[in-house]
């Protein structure tokens, strides 16, 4: 090998690494001191396909003493983001949630920052001004500071810092070390006095570059002013006081965290990000007793049920009495009463796409207007069910994209959605009336997020959030070969999400546009006709029937016909392509799919070869697949396929076995039937 070329290659690699030194440093940037090469760099080396990257995200959290307010939580955050292409432009914006709760609040201040751009070979630094900062009131207690920096474009570096002071000691903000774009360096310190007792918990799959706990000291200083009387003279006497106390300091950092991107059967990777949470356990100042302050779901539920703008609203249901009586007049069971009320609310109310747990207005007003937030609609549903004499309760939870609820810590900003729990005998049914196309017992996908907290007076409890019915699809197909073309008559019966999808699309686009879209999705098939049953009936399965003519999975070669009716059918490709996986596998909801294919053997042909049957299961019938094939007569072939998801969540350690399970399905469904001419 040419030694000169080898040395040149090594030297070039060294220059490339040197040009990336700012991104690779295990430390934060200093405010206002972004190196020029960070601005001019066009890609992010650890992930060249990234649209944007967080280069540095550093938070310092400290509970210390303020003369005028006593102890407060002080947050100081500095974030640097690199925009790499136009698809990453939105990552230049920043949202800061904060709270105002019954006289207590977060105070967000000191927002400052710059946008760095390369212009004609020079680095231009533009300041983020007040007009780039906006306030949004989400609800009575929850607000957002929105920062939209100026002149953000491809190549920009956005630097933002801000501070928060808060007296919400029970709700220390969690710190996430990952985002939906890669993060080069994320770091957090949290220091608090000995008077406070916190527990900390971490989750995620990234290795901590720094993970340490150590002690320190702090100081509280204050003055006392006393009136002193000396005979006829009154004066003021000022004394200075101070105390030194011990502190506990946690320090964490994560380096080169990959983007949280969806993978097959994990559409909410943010729920699995590497993060740390703190929960206040107790408080004890000198010369005073210990106060147990552990926040709990039960306490939060009690507060909400007694609140005028939440639980008390359920006691104002007189406006619904007449309507409810007419709805349930001849119902044969409690569940039938519930179904009628659910159908009425889904038909009457239109969701405005807003989430949150607090109703936005009085429930009678929402009902009259026929429109509202998820909280408005599902509180109405709860109220109507209660008016019918049924046992229904609000359930606080979070949307799928907002992360899981922590059973040990009711973090308020994580709670952003409201459901209804109906209890009928021993049966618990979760309901959400925001989607008019969904049948009773099915939740919108954004609401299926593992856990929720049912607010039942005296019996509040964590519950699993999921459907009360199994999503199902039954498909019947009759096939025959006519003039070297395949004719297929298909009938599909949908319960659950398939039915909601069809109803929703037809309601929005109409049958003609739906048919056009359906036809365009077909490959090697011509759609000859299509029709539906039960589109206007809420409680029955939607039946979709259509006729196809094509050549998909069908080939004539000499005196043989090679035939595979599953060439484009669900599970004919293994959805798991990667060699490994760090996230769990989440199928979200239980489901059952069945497919029966009847094939007419053309005259003059006999069956020469058929695939063998297969019955496969994984994890004690958590996943089940069966393939049965038979020839009940010389001119008939029947194939029956069944696929069931009985267990919805699997650990990442089971990935290799699950991948193998689905690979066996894909291979089976690729096997041909061979017909021979006689």
């Amino acid at each position: 090998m040419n030694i000169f070329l080898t040395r040149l290659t090594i030297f070039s690699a060294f220059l490339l690494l040197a040009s990336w030194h700012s991104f690779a440093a295990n430390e934060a940037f200093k405010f206002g001191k972004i190196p020029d090469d960070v601005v001019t760099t066009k890609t992010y080396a650890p992930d060249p396909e990234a649209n944007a990257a967080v280069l540095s995200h550093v938070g310092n959290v400290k509970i210390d003493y303020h003369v005028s307010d006593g102890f407060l939580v002080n947050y100081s955050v500095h974030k640097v983001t690199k925009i790499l292409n136009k698809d990453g432009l939105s990552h230049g914006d920043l949202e800061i949630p904060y709270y105002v709760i019954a006289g207590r609040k977060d105070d967000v201040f000191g927002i400052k920052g710059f946008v760095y751009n390369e212009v004609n070979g020079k680095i231009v630094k533009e300041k983020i001004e007040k007009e780039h900062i906006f306030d949004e009131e989400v609800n009575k207690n929850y607000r957002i500071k929105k920062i939209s920096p100026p002149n953000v474009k491809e190549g920009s570096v956005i630097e933002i810092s801000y501070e928060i002071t808060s007296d919400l000691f029970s709700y220390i903000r969690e710190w996430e070390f990952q985002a939906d774009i890669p993060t080069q360096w994320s770091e957090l310190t949290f220091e608090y006095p000995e008077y406070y007792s916190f527990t900390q918990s971490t989750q995620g799959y990234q290795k901590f570059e720094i993970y340490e706990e150590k002690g320190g000291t702090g100081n509280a200083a204050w003055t006392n002013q006393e009136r002193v009387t000396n005979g006829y003279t009154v004066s003021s006497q000022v004394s200075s006081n101070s105390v030194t106390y011990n502190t506990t300091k946690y320090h964490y950092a994560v380096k080169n965290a990959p983007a949280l991107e969806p993978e097959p059967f994990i559409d909410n990777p943010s729920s699995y990000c590497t993060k740390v949470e703190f929960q206040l356990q107790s408080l004890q100042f000198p010369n005073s007793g210990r106060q147990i302050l552990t926040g709990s779901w039960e306490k939060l539920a009690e507060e909400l049920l007694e609140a005028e703008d939440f639980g008390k609203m359920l006691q104002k249901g007189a406006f619904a009495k007449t309507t409810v009586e007419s709805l349930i007049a001849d119902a044969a069971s409690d569940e039938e009463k519930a179904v009628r009320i659910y159908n009425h609310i889904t038909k009457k109310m239109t969701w405005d796409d807003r989430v949150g747990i607090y109703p936005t207005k009085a429930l009678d007003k929402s009902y009259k207007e026929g429109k509202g937030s998820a909280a408005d609609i599902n509180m109405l549903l709860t109220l109507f069910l209660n008016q019918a004499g049924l046992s229904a309760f609000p359930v606080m939870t979070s949307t799928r994209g907002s992360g899981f609820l922590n059973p040990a810590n009711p973090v308020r900003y994580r709670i952003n959605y409201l459901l209804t729990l109906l209890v009928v005998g021993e049966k618990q049914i979760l309901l959400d009336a925001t989607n008019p196309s969904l049948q009773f017992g099915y939740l919108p996908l954004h609401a299926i997020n593992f856990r929720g907290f049912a607010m039942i007076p005296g019996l509040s409890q964590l519950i699993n959030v999921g459907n009360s019915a199994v999503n199902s699809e039954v498909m019947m197909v009759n096939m025959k070969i006519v003039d070297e073309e395949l004719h297929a008559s298909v009938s599909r019966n949908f319960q659950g999400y398939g039915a909601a999808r069809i109803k929703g699309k037809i309601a929005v686009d109409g049958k003609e546009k739906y048919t056009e879209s359906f036809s365009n999705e077909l490959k090697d098939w011509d759609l000859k006709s299509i029709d539906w049953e039960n589109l206007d009936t809420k409680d029955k399965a939607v039946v979709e029937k259509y006729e196809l003519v094509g050549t998909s999975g069908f080939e004539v070669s000499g005196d043989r016909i090679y035939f595979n009716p599953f060439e484009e059918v669900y599970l004919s490709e293994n959805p798991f392509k990667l060699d490994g996986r760090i996230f769990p596998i989440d199928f979200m909801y239980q489901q059952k799919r069945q497919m029966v294919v009847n094939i007419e053997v053309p005259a003059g042909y006999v069956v020469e070869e058929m695939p063998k049957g297969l019955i496969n299961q994984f994890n004690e019938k958590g996943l089940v697949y069966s393939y049965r094939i038979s020839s009940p007569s010389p001119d008939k072939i029947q194939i029956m396929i069944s696929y069931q998801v009985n267990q919805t969540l699997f650990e990442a350690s089971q990935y290799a076995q699950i991948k193998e399970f689905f690979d066996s399905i894909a291979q089976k469904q690729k096997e041909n039937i061979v017909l021979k001419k006689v």
Side-chain angles (χ1 to χ4, degrees), residues 96 108-113 128 133 145 147 160-163:
I96 308 168
V108 182
F109 65 98
I111 299 173
K112 58 184 179 179
I128 296 174
I133 303 170
K145 290 276 188 190
I147 305 170
I160 299 174
S161 74
Y162 61 91
E163 296 183 60

Side-chain angles (χ1 to χ4, degrees), residues 11-24 37 41:
F11 181 66
S12 299
F14 173 77
L15 287 178
L16 178 62
L17 290 173
S19 70
W20 198 256
H21 77 278
S22 298
F23 280 10
D37 62 337
T41 300

Side-chain angles (χ1 to χ4, degrees), residues 325-346:
E325 288 176 350
S326 65
L327 287 171
I328 66 172
D330 58 347
S333 66
D334 283 348
E335 190 160 334
E336 185 179 344
K337 292 177 184 178
V339 170
R340 291 185 183 187
I341 290 171
Y342 170 81
N343 290 346
H344 172 74
I345 296 295
T346 58

Side-chain angles (χ1 to χ4, degrees), residues 100-119:
V100 179
I101 304 172
R104 306 170 66 192
K105 69 173 185 175
D106 296 331
D107 184 19
V108 182
F109 65 98
I111 299 173
K112 58 184 179 179
F114 298 97
V115 178
Y116 300 79
N117 285 305
E118 181 183 10
V119 180

Side-chain angles (χ1 to χ4, degrees), residues 235-282:
S235 62
S236 294
Q237 182 175 321
V238 178
S239 62
S240 297
N241 302 274
S242 68
V243 63
T244 299
Y245 51 80
N246 295 321
T247 65
T248 299
K249 185 175 183 178
Y250 289 101
H251 188 194
Y252 313 86
V254 170
K255 176 184 177 182
N256 288 337
L260 293 164
E261 296 179 331
E263 295 182 25
F265 300 104
I266 187 74
D267 66 334
N268 60 331
S270 60
S271 296
Y272 303 95
C273 78
T274 300
K275 67 178 181 180
V276 60
E277 290 182 331
F278 298 92
Q279 183 180 16
L280 180 62
Q281 296 290 305
S282 62

Side-chain angles (χ1 to χ4, degrees), residues 513-531:
K513 191 170 182 180
Y514 176 93
T515 300
E516 180 182 352
S517 175
F518 184 93
S519 181
N520 290 337
E521 292 175 2
L522 297 172
K523 182 180 178 182
D524 298 327
W525 289 101
D526 290 328
L527 179 65
K528 297 302 180 181
S529 66
I530 187 168
D531 198 7

Side-chain angles (χ1 to χ4, degrees), residues 407-578:
N409 189 8
V411 182
R412 280 184 181 263
Y413 60 81
R414 183 73 71 206
I415 305 163
N416 71 342
Y417 206 73
L418 198 71
L419 298 170
T420 295
L421 173 66
L422 171 68
V423 180
V424 180
E426 298 296 318
K427 194 174 182 181
Q428 292 188 343
I429 303 171
L430 277 171
L431 299 171
D432 183 331
T434 59
N435 187 333
S437 299
L438 269 178
Q439 296 166 282
F440 182 87
Y442 295 93
L443 298 177
L445 295 181
H446 65 258
I448 299 179
N449 199 26
F450 199 35
R451 293 189 188 95
F453 197 82
M455 292 179 274
I456 306 171
L459 294 170
S460 293
Q461 56 189 274
L462 278 167
I463 60 172
N464 293 328
V465 173
N467 293 328
S468 304
V470 176
N471 187 72
S472 69
E473 176 185 342
V474 178
M475 187 174 183
M476 299 287 294
V477 185
N478 294 311
M479 290 184 168
K480 61 181 179 180
I481 298 170
V482 180
D483 298 329
E484 297 192 358
E485 284 188 324
L486 193 60
H487 290 231
S489 178
V490 183
S491 176
R492 300 174 76 181
N493 182 305
F494 296 95
Q495 289 271 15
Y497 296 113
R501 175 184 57 81
I502 293 171
K503 288 180 179 180
K505 285 189 174 183
I506 290 178
V508 172
D509 298 331
K511 292 183 178 180
E512 185 175 339
K513 191 170 182 180
Y514 176 93
T515 300
E516 180 182 352
S517 175
F518 184 93
S519 181
N520 290 337
E521 292 175 2
L522 297 172
K523 182 180 178 182
D524 298 327
W525 289 101
D526 290 328
L527 179 65
K528 297 302 180 181
S529 66
I530 187 168
D531 198 7
W532 304 269
E533 296 176 5
N534 302 328
L535 287 178
D536 300 322
T537 305
K538 193 69 174 286
D539 304 320
K540 293 183 179 179
V542 170
V543 180
E544 184 174 67
K545 297 181 177 181
Y546 50 92
E547 302 286 336
L548 302 174
V549 175
T551 57
S552 181
F554 167 72
E555 181 182 352
V556 178
S557 178
D559 61 352
R560 286 176 172 81
I561 296 175
Y562 297 89
F563 181 46
N564 177 10
F566 307 111
E567 187 170 278
E568 297 175 30
V569 174
Y570 184 70
L571 297 180
S572 290
E573 287 292 331
N574 189 342
F576 301 103
K577 307 291 185 185
L578 301 177

